[in-house]
Amino acid sequence: MPRIDDRDATELRPVRMTLGYQRFAEGSVLIELGRTVVLCAVTMEERVPGFLRGSGEGWVTAEYSMLPRSTLTRTPRERKGGRVEEIQRLIGRSLRAATDMAALGERQMVVDCDVIQADGGTRTAAITGSYVALYQALHNLRKAGILRVNPLTTMIAATSVGIVNGVPMLDLCYEEDFRAQVDFNVVMTDRKEFVELQATAEHRPFTRDDVDSLLALAQGGIEKLFRLQHQTLRQLT
């Protein structure tokens, strides 16, 4: 059965990353994943949460929001809690898994992820774009002599996979995600380690074979995202 946008089942949507999209942020990227568009911007703060004061270690946290007309009909501005809180924590956990907090020192990196247009995969696009924005920010801080090394220890990217009409598919758009019998969000490092798996049976339970098939599909897509991240970051000097 052909996909809505005529992609192969194992194909990502077209991906574009525009580095340094916001001039005044320490690091930023506009990531376009098909019709999904997310702006990721990083701010350094010379402070850390209370539980880290005096530890010599830093912190990475995230904020996530959707603009009211990022969707087909107006979405009211979201308040903290619920879905927003869950996505923010997911982005933050993913970035912290790639960061040496001791090398960061007692500084906090705040990553703002704003969804400009939503057509499925906003959280995975936010994670993939946030890594690029964070890398740029830390690269710039190192050039400025604020950091001795770049604290990032591995690459991080994410994608969605699912079973739609019985077919395993990579990188679901909204309509596919809405109709999926099984829906996964997968976050990985470039060391082929899993940072997070979010798996849901929407209409039927899934088997171990389903899991293995979907994770292999996700890994193939994420490896392509790593190459795109690397190409984008080659612009840094």
Side-chain angles (χ1 to χ4, degrees):
M1 185 175 186
R3 300 182 74 171
I4 293 166
D5 50 12
D6 295 323
R7 280 183 291 148
D8 185 80
T10 62
E11 189 178 354
L12 290 169
R13 287 174 284 179
V15 184
R16 181 182 178 189
M17 299 184 212
T18 304
L19 190 64
Y21 192 82
Q22 285 192 304
R23 179 182 298 272
F24 302 118
E26 277 81 292
S28 65
V29 70
L30 184 78
I31 180 168
E32 300 169 75
L33 183 63
R35 296 194 299 180
T36 288
V37 183
V38 183
L39 175 59
C40 307
V42 179
T43 301
M44 182 193 75
E45 297 180 343
E46 291 284 2
R47 62 186 180 89
V48 291
F51 68 91
L52 284 173
R53 287 175 194 156
S55 69
E57 295 192 350
W59 192 247
V60 181
T61 188
E63 298 276 344
Y64 170 95
S65 66
M66 294 179 66
L67 297 183
R69 283 315 307 263
S70 62
T71 49
L72 187 61
T73 57
R74 185 181 186 277
T75 301
R77 294 186 185 275
E78 297 172 281
R79 299 183 182 276
K80 295 291 189 278
R83 176 179 175 274
V84 171
E85 192 89 10
E86 179 227 334
I87 295 174
Q88 290 180 169
R89 288 177 176 174
L90 170 63
I91 298 167
R93 283 195 303 269
S94 299
L95 296 174
R96 289 193 295 273
T99 307
D100 180 346
M101 297 302 169
L104 185 57
E106 287 197 34
R107 301 177 181 88
Q108 177 167 257
M109 309 303 291
V110 181
V111 186
D112 286 295
C113 301
D114 291 290
V115 179
I116 297 172
Q117 188 163 276
D119 186 31
T122 61
R123 70 185 67 190
T124 56
I127 292 167
T128 302
S130 289
Y131 168 81
V132 175
L134 181 60
Y135 189 101
Q136 183 188 30
L138 296 172
H139 171 85
N140 288 339
L141 293 172
R142 185 185 178 191
K143 280 184 64 179
I146 296 171
L147 296 174
R148 288 187 296 174
V149 297
N150 190 321
L152 287 171
T153 59
T154 185
M155 299 182 80
I156 291 286
T159 193
S160 63
V161 285
I163 298 176
V164 184
N165 296 324
V167 179
M169 292 183 180
L170 174 66
D171 186 21
L172 307 184
C173 68
Y174 174 78
E175 186 62 30
E176 290 168 339
D177 182 71
F178 180 76
R179 295 190 287 111
Q181 291 87 50
V182 177
D183 180 20
F184 279 31
N185 290 306
V186 182
V187 187
M188 291 187 70
T189 75
D190 61 347
R191 298 171 182 164
K192 300 184 179 180
E193 302 163 321
F194 293 101
V195 175
E196 187 131 0
L197 304 175
Q198 296 182 335
T200 305
E202 299 286 357
H203 300 289
R204 68 166 178 84
F206 51 86
T207 67
R208 175 62 181 269
D209 287 343
D210 290 333
V211 174
D212 292 341
S213 172
L214 289 171
L215 291 183
L217 186 58
Q219 182 173 330
I222 289 172
E223 287 173 351
K224 294 174 185 174
L225 291 171
F226 288 142
R227 290 195 289 272
L228 292 168
Q229 288 175 324
H230 182 70
Q231 289 171 14
T232 302
L233 290 169
R234 285 176 62 185
Q235 300 171 42
L236 295 175
T237 56

